[in-house]
């Protein structure tokens, strides 16, 4: 999954603070839980599951870590700097632990799974380590700590999908929500630590997904993002084998919940995205015309070394299918890694030329960061100097800025349907929301409010945002 790389100043402000739990009402007498999430959308979604499990276990959330009984960090291991951020954050809590030794510090998520008991050895402040499939065990693990022990559960499951747990929405705008449809990843891209930290791929029962979407709609939500490491390989079969559901079929079921509910999904894999998915998107107005399709590289030799199981031609074929079926306006975004093992300048140029071909609307771009235990770390040499990786990254980002600007300018003069998510970050006189292609649109408030669908005439575009004016409809 992904982190934002092209950011407006507003986005930057919002992202510098990790997302945290909020103050819960009627919390008198309960133990106070503070939870902070790092990394991908899946982690934010998991924190909502963790909060639900711990609320059942008698905890109440707080937005103030200074007074919390339990501090949990839901961590990311995808790149070295993601891990460094967590280690630095843990240092911030040292003074609190000195003042209140009974305060419990736990680490969850991918870094917990990767480091296991090493976390307890290396970071003395940590009392609890729980991997992504161990969250039901958290109340027990926290009890163990109360009894004076350190506690750890990093077992990975082949079945756990937390299907029956109703997430407690954290930092919610009350309009958009994540719905996890599957967990884990079976792909084994050579650079990626995720298959080791999140285990085997498993799909969640479609009925529980539909119920969660319906419940969200009933409580006023207007948009769901279906989440999975690789949503296109969603595959569910009933126990007696009489019913099979693939991703296109699931999308259709969710689209039919209500035409008022917008649907997004992430992340798609180029090897798995089918024409059936694209035709389903076309068929339903409420399925947003936006696809996040990580390329990683534009060069077939590098893609092979990355074990992505597709080559440049295959990727281009999928892009052509998107353009043919959904048209030029469908939003497409990428993930790209620069400076992967042995990447030459010509191969890097192939990535740039692929970007020019696709004309991505948006991108999440990273310099290669070797992760211990991955196939690339074991079999390949991380031989591209840091400054070369960074220079190539800058070239990729600069090109993406230009492409985003060009693509955003295509919207100028059009009237587009925007789902309002709240006030603009700069001024309460303006609202902000997203259009179909996932682009942020800012416009003067007038009488409109959060949760409204508003037709907005786009007047202005930057690489990051569209600005416009509501039109009477
Ligand atoms: N180094 C740099 N980027 C990585 N990603 C995954 N693993 C690594 C790594 N070792 C990127 C990929 C993926 C996104 C979520 O993070 O681009 O799609
Ligand atoms: Fe990692 Fe590849 Fe799975 Fe994405 S598809 S999580 S990059 S192994």
């Amino acid at each position: 999954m992904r982190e934002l790389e092209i950011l407006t100043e507003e986005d930057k402000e919002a992202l510098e603070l990790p997302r945290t739990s909020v103050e819960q009402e009627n919390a008198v007498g309960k133990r106070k839980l503070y939870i902070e999430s790092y990394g991908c959308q899946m982690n934010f979604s998991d924190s909502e599951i963790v909060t639900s499990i711990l609320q059942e276990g008698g905890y109440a959330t707080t937005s103030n870590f200074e007074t919390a009984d339990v501090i949990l960090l839901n961590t990311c291991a995808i790149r070295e700097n993601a891990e460094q951020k967590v280690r630095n954050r843990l240092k911030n809590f040292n003074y609190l632990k000195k003042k209140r030794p009974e305060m419990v510090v736990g680490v969850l998520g991918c870094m917990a799974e990767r480091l296991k008991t090493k976390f307890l050895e290396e970071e003395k402040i940590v009392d609890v380590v729980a991997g992504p499939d161990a969250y039901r065990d958290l109340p027990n693990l926290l009890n163990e700590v109360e009894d004076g022990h350190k506690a750890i559960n990093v077992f990975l499951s082949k079945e756990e999908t937390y299907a029956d747990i109703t997430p407690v929405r954290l930092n919610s705008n009350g309009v958009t929500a994540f719905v996890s449809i599957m967990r884990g990843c079976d792909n084994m891209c050579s650079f990626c630590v995720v298959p080791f930290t999140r285990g085997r791929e498993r799909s969640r029962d479609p009925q529980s997904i539909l119920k969660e979407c319906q419940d969200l709609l009933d409580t006023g939500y207007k948009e769901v993002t279906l989440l999975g490491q690789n949503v296109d390989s969603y595959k569910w079969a009933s126990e007696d084998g009489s019913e099979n559901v693939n991703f296109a079929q699931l999308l259709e079921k969710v689209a039919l919940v209500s035409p008022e509910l917008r649907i997004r999904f992430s992340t798609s894999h180029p090897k798995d995205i089918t024409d059936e998915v694209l035709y389903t998107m076309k068929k339903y107005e409420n399925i947003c015309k936006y696809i996040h399709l990580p390329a990683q590289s534009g060069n077939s030799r590098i893609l092979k070394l990355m074990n992505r199981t597709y080559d440049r031609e295959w990727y281009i074929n999928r892009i052509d299918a998107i353009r043919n079926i959904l048209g030029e306006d469908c939003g497409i975004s990428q993930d790209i890694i620069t400076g992967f093992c042995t990447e030459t300048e010509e191969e890097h140029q192939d990535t740039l030329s692929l970007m020019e071909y696709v004309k991505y609307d948006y991108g999440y771009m990273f310099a290669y960061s070797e992760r211990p235990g991955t196939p690339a770390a074991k079999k390949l040499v991380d031989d591209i100097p840091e400054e070369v990786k960074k220079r190539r990254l800058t070239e990729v980002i600069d090109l993406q800025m230009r492409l985003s600007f060009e693509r955003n300018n295509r919207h100028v003069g059009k009237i587009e349907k925007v789902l309002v998510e709240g006030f603009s970050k700069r001024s309460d006189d303006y609202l902000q929301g997203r259009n179909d292609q996932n682009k942020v649109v800012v416009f003067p408030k007038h009488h409109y409010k959060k949760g409204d669908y508003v037709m907005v005439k786009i007047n202005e575009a930057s690489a990051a945002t569209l600005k416009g004016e509501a039109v009477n409809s």
Side-chain angles (χ1 to χ4, degrees):
M1 297 244 145
R2 52 204 225 250
E3 283 176 354
L4 286 175
E5 282 288 345
I6 296 186
L7 302 170
T8 60
E9 285 309 308
E10 294 154 337
D11 288 336
K12 272 189 199 155
E13 244 169 63
L15 283 171
E16 263 155 31
L17 304 167
R19 287 219 223 164
T20 66
S21 47
V22 290
E23 209 66 39
Q24 192 186 324
E25 287 164 24
N26 304 324
V28 185
K30 294 187 175 168
R31 284 176 47 83
K32 286 189 191 161
L33 163 72
Y34 172 84
I35 182 163
E36 218 169 78
S37 310
Y38 294 81
C40 66
Q41 294 162 331
M42 202 73 181
N43 259 11
F44 295 121
S45 167
D46 279 2
S47 291
E48 299 185 332
I49 288 168
V50 167
T51 304
S52 175
I53 291 169
L54 287 175
Q55 277 190 3
E56 281 288 305
Y59 289 80
T61 53
T62 173
S63 55
N64 180 3
F65 63 80
E66 304 242 351
T67 56
D69 298 298
V70 176
I71 294 180
L72 297 178
L73 300 188
N74 196 355
T75 64
C76 170
I78 199 128
R79 283 169 291 277
E80 160 117 49
N81 59 9
E83 293 204 355
Q84 205 45 54
K85 225 190 261 175
V86 169
R87 289 189 192 268
N88 292 342
R89 186 64 174 143
L90 284 171
K91 289 198 185 76
N92 293 157
F93 299 129
N94 275 332
Y95 80 99
L96 272 181
K97 188 83 170 173
K98 280 207 190 96
K99 231 173 31 183
R100 294 195 292 120
E102 72 284 2
M103 181 195 74
V104 178
V105 176
V107 285
L108 317 175
C110 289
M111 197 179 166
E113 189 65 48
R114 190 179 87 71
L115 292 168
K116 302 186 171 60
T117 51
K118 261 205 246 164
F119 224 136
L120 296 173
E121 290 154 23
E122 290 173 8
E123 303 286 349
K124 297 287 178 238
I125 190 173
V126 174
D127 305 295
V128 176
V129 174
D133 289 341
Y135 297 150
R136 284 181 203 268
D137 197 23
L138 272 171
N140 301 327
L141 295 170
L142 291 171
N143 283 342
E144 272 183 52
V145 175
E146 278 206 2
D147 293 341
H149 310 288
K150 299 246 170 187
I152 178 163
N153 184 342
V154 287
F155 288 115
L156 286 175
S157 156
K158 286 201 178 109
E159 288 96 30
E160 181 63 271
T161 59
Y162 300 110
D164 56 316
I165 293 180
T166 307
V168 172
R169 305 291 161 187
L170 299 170
N171 294 105
S172 172
N173 56 17
V175 179
T176 61
F178 296 130
V179 174
S180 158
I181 62 163
M182 58 197 299
R183 300 181 70 81
C185 183
D186 282 351
N187 281 329
M188 293 303 276
C189 299
S190 64
F191 50 79
C192 188
V193 79
V194 167
F196 305 94
T197 60
R198 288 191 163 268
R200 301 303 300 267
E201 199 165 278
R202 62 222 104 115
S203 298
R204 180 178 168 192
D205 180 340
Q207 285 314 322
S208 74
I209 297 170
L210 293 173
K211 179 173 183 307
E212 191 174 327
C213 294
Q214 183 67 55
D215 288 350
L216 284 164
L217 183 72
D218 294 344
T219 44
Y221 284 83
K222 295 282 180 65
E223 182 182 297
V224 293
T225 302
L226 307 179
L227 284 186
Q229 248 74 37
N230 180 6
V231 289
D232 302 280
S233 61
Y234 176 90
K235 200 173 179 22
W236 183 85
S238 60
E239 259 168 41
D240 62 4
S242 63
E243 198 193 350
N244 285 291
V245 181
N246 67 18
F247 182 58
Q249 291 159 337
L250 178 73
L251 257 185
E252 175 151 47
K253 286 176 192 289
V254 180
L256 288 169
V257 167
S258 164
E260 279 294 295
L261 187 70
R262 258 189 179 182
I263 296 128
R264 300 187 185 281
F265 54 88
S266 187
T267 297
S268 300
H269 194 297
K271 90 173 149 57
D272 297 315
I273 190 166
T274 58
D275 288 357
E276 190 190 357
V277 166
L278 303 178
Y279 282 116
T280 307
M281 289 176 74
K282 186 184 166 95
K283 187 167 163 195
Y284 293 95
E285 199 259 341
N286 59 332
I287 304 179
C288 292
K289 306 300 177 278
Y290 164 67
I291 301 175
H292 181 59
L293 198 67
Q296 314 298 359
S297 164
N299 174 268
S300 295
R301 188 187 74 89
I302 294 295
L303 287 169
K304 195 162 176 37
L305 285 180
M306 288 176 162
N307 197 29
R308 288 289 288 179
T309 68
Y310 57 86
D311 59 12
R312 181 184 172 96
E313 284 62 45
W314 175 279
Y315 188 89
I316 286 179
N317 166 285
R318 293 293 76 208
I319 295 293
D320 292 347
I322 293 170
R323 296 281 180 235
N324 288 334
I325 296 167
L326 293 167
E328 280 302 310
D329 287 340
C330 181
I332 305 179
S333 61
Q334 43 84 351
D335 286 352
I336 280 173
I337 296 177
T338 63
F340 188 65
C341 312
T342 73
E343 183 189 66
T344 64
E345 282 307 323
E346 293 70 41
E347 289 166 338
H348 164 63
Q349 290 299 325
D350 285 345
T351 297
L352 297 173
S353 75
L354 180 73
M355 290 173 70
E356 292 274 11
Y357 180 85
V358 180
K359 300 190 173 34
Y360 292 106
D361 293 79
Y362 201 80
Y364 304 85
M365 296 147 286
F366 317 97
Y368 174 57
S369 162
E370 187 180 78
R371 306 311 292 132
T374 55
K378 286 186 186 152
K379 293 193 209 113
L380 302 170
V381 186
D382 180 15
D383 58 351
I384 307 300
E386 215 48 43
E387 65 272 17
V388 176
K389 286 181 188 172
K390 289 275 149 64
R391 194 251 306 143
R392 289 180 189 170
L393 179 62
T394 307
E395 289 174 14
V396 166
I397 290 175
D398 287 350
L399 174 55
Q400 186 55 55
M401 291 289 268
R402 172 165 72 71
L403 295 174
S404 294
F405 184 63
E406 285 171 14
R407 288 288 295 176
N408 284 356
N409 262 301
R410 288 169 51 92
H411 295 266
V412 174
K414 293 188 182 161
I415 294 173
E416 302 193 329
K417 189 171 172 182
V418 174
L419 174 60
V420 180
E421 293 177 15
F423 290 118
S424 136
K425 280 166 199 139
R426 289 225 178 107
S427 158
D428 284 0
D429 295 332
Y430 288 78
L431 293 172
Q432 88 170 39
R434 280 167 204 274
N435 69 3
D436 213 24
Q437 290 82 8
N438 206 33
K439 292 181 182 173
V440 173
V441 179
V442 177
F443 63 96
K445 177 172 73 176
H446 299 305
H447 61 281
Y448 298 103
K449 57 184 189 314
K450 194 158 89 166
D452 285 348
Y453 284 108
V454 183
M455 299 308 291
V456 178
K457 173 145 192 270
I458 309 298
N459 296 326
E460 217 184 301
S462 71
T465 326
L466 304 177
K467 288 194 179 135
E469 183 83 40
V471 292
N472 293 330
S473 56

